[in-house]
Amino acid sequence: MTMRRRRTLVIGLALALVATLLVVTMYTTLMGERPIETIQTKVIEILREPEKYYNRVVLIEGKFMGWYVPKNLTGPPILTPPVTRSDWVIADDTGWIYVSATSPARCSLKPFSREDVGAKIIVKAVVKLREIETKEGTVKVPYLYALECIVLKT
């Protein structure tokens, strides 16, 4: 490859990279959904003020509950999983919330396994809201879109 051809190739790749970054930046700015900081919080805070946490990145430390909803803790306004039937539950000492099964993060735990239920985990996630129609009207259901999931050794 000649020096001139190599230089042309490098310039072309650099321009493609700049164009891609520009498009991504414009998209995230226009969509207004770019999370900025990570907030460590409790589940109950998200349940109480879902709009405050909407599209924010949160860090929740709790227990993996799989597909089992804790009976003794506060949860979302409906029991139905908000995104898919495979959504799973994280609970801390203040409440429980669904984590979307469509999230990119995987905990390496099985939601149907009683052996995995109760495992201590940390989830970094974006708080999302889904409007669901009920007999009483429309309710906004908060849930987590997991970016990272760490299983803690006990």
Side-chain angles (χ1 to χ4, degrees):
M1 182 180 291
T2 67
M3 184 64 106
R4 182 178 176 151
R5 186 173 170 111
R6 183 177 292 155
R7 190 173 74 199
T8 304
L9 181 62
V10 169
I11 291 172
L13 289 172
L15 288 174
L17 178 63
V18 169
T20 302
L21 289 173
L22 185 61
V23 168
V24 169
T25 302
M26 286 175 37
Y27 175 78
T28 55
T29 301
L30 291 173
M31 295 305 292
E33 296 185 8
R34 188 173 184 176
I36 298 170
E37 63 179 308
T38 301
I39 304 164
Q40 187 163 5
T41 190
K42 295 285 192 174
V43 171
I44 195 70
E45 298 303 320
I46 297 168
L47 296 174
R48 284 184 184 150
E49 298 181 274
E51 286 86 7
K52 175 182 173 182
Y53 290 94
Y54 176 68
N55 274 338
R56 305 288 301 269
V57 177
V58 296
L59 200 62
I60 303 285
E61 186 170 343
K63 292 183 179 179
F64 178 82
M65 300 305 295
W67 292 334
Y68 304 98
V69 173
K71 293 184 178 18
N72 59 342
L73 291 172
T74 302
I78 63 168
L79 291 176
T80 308
V83 183
T84 74
R85 294 183 335 166
S86 298
D87 294 351
W88 51 273
V89 174
I90 183 173
D92 63 15
D93 58 340
T94 67
W96 65 271
I97 192 167
Y98 280 107
V99 178
S100 173
T102 64
S103 301
R106 300 285 182 247
C107 278
S108 73
L109 299 170
K110 299 174 195 81
F112 54 83
S113 170
R114 288 277 185 190
E115 293 171 5
D116 288 345
V117 168
K120 291 183 180 183
I121 60 173
I122 297 175
V123 173
K124 181 178 181 179
V126 178
V127 176
K128 294 293 186 182
L129 289 172
R130 171 156 258 163
E131 290 187 356
I132 297 178
E133 294 295 326
T134 68
K135 292 177 185 176
E136 292 79 31
T138 304
V139 289
K140 289 185 179 179
V141 180
Y143 66 93
L144 303 177
Y145 184 78
L147 304 173
E148 294 179 47
C149 183
I150 300 167
V151 180
L152 302 174
K153 302 292 181 196
T154 56

